[in-house]
Amino acid sequence: MRQVFINIKQLVQVRPTSQKKVAGEAMKILPKIDNAFLEIEDDRISNFGSMSDFNSSTENNVIDVKNRLVLPSWCDSHSHVVYAGNRSQEFVDRINGLSYEEIARRGGGILNSAKALQNTSENDLFEQSMERIKRLVRLGTGALEIKSGYGLSVDAELKMLRVIRQIKRRSPQKIKSTFLGAHAVPEEFKTNKSEYIDLIINSMLPKIHEENLADFVDVFCEKGYFDMEDTNLILSAAKRYNLQPKIHVNQFNALGGVALGIKHNALSVDHLEKLTQDDIHALKNTETMPVALPGCSFFLGIPYTPARPLIEAGLAVALASDFNPGSAPSGNMNFIVSLACIKMKLTPEEAINAATINGAYAMGVSEKYGSIAVGKKANLIVTKPMDSYQQIPYEFGNNPIEKVMLNGVLID
Ligand code: NIG
Ligand code: FE
């Protein structure tokens, strides 16, 4: 089927098909065409350009989007959207003065979500997660990475990954799945962490490989969770199954996880709220994408990732939601883009680049997603009437989206 959007006020993020990411100074540029058309054939973008070059043809299904903008849909490269229940009580505890780390030390936090997930059936977990997925589709997320890590036992980690596989089959979004067995040390292994690491390496990884349940591997490299040595062991083991790392590093402490991730050819290093000069230096001339998660900083009241020094060092930055029940219970990428502008001082151009093409790169899908390019998937956002893409971050908290198209199909 052929469809065409006409009278697009701004067709945003127009790039050559071969471009996979954008770094440094170049992030300030968000290529666009004013008063544009965009043709879609089946699930792909087949042509676009200025309205003055548009050849009207009667066989096309014409959608007039006068006064509206069209962008590639958001590419959210870091989420924990599969979880059971919620942690709103911990939210209140934090308002009353406890810190995220104190709550975790008392057995709350990730372990609290693990208990809930272990007691939830696979079907129920799928239903709960799918509700959130449907909301994210309407908020314009067209590609999404989802992590395990609330199972923390062989059975429960497999259950989570099977739910992610089910979402892969049922959601119109592009989904990538990441094994995060090393998210926290379960209570029963508190005095014997190495036994839990053995379980990850010798039981979980082989089973996950057998069922082909993961695209990537992740470790929460942090004080009180998994140290450098643990992380090194797990990433080395995962390499034997061809699982590329995307890791949680430098959220509360800079332990050297950035350089370790790079040593293991990590596709991305995520969080980076505590970033050192050495970390920035280590990232130069690598293929590893730094990923900032401003929703987590906002919700926990911790520092924001210093994105300006990263960009000024010539590096790329991606933005992701970190959607999870403990540190970021929202996956709204429109708000993430606003936060990045308001709190991290990214320009709208930088923030939109970070949430589209660079997000796609950070989850290994930028060949087909993250920009307007011939041959790429027709995963698109049509905004409400507005003058410019600058209004997306400016009108924070508003939903700027009128329509979403995924795989060439308009979503109701
Ligand atoms: O990315 N930092 C580790 N993991 C998640 C939070 C997990 C939770 O609190 O449930 C994060 O922030
Ligand atoms: Fe996370």
Side-chain angles (χ1 to χ4, degrees), residues 319-387:
L319 287 168
S321 73
D322 197 17
F323 193 175
N324 77 75
S327 71
S330 163
N332 185 342
M333 285 296 285
N334 306 285
F335 183 57
I336 295 298
V337 168
S338 281
L339 272 181
C341 294
I342 297 162
K343 295 294 191 178
M344 295 162 58
K345 304 290 176 207
L346 294 194
T347 64
E349 292 79 10
E350 289 169 329
I352 293 172
N353 277 321
T356 55
I357 191 161
N358 286 356
Y361 179 93
M363 56 188 288
V365 301
S366 67
E367 296 218 341
K368 290 199 191 138
Y369 300 86
S371 65
I372 304 293
V374 171
K376 279 201 174 181
K377 283 275 183 183
N379 276 22
L380 308 166
I381 289 168
V382 180
T383 68
K384 292 174 180 160
M386 62 176 73
D387 294 331

Side-chain angles (χ1 to χ4, degrees), residues 82-120:
V82 171
Y83 59 83
N86 67 72
R87 306 220 302 265
S88 58
Q89 184 53 50
E90 292 180 7
F91 169 62
V92 177
D93 293 342
R94 280 194 304 102
I95 292 169
N96 287 323
L98 283 182
S99 73
Y100 179 79
E101 285 148 305
E102 281 162 344
I103 290 168
R105 275 198 293 275
R106 295 175 175 201
I110 295 167
L111 296 183
N112 185 354
S113 287
K115 207 178 296 160
L117 188 137
Q118 286 163 6
N119 294 323
T120 302

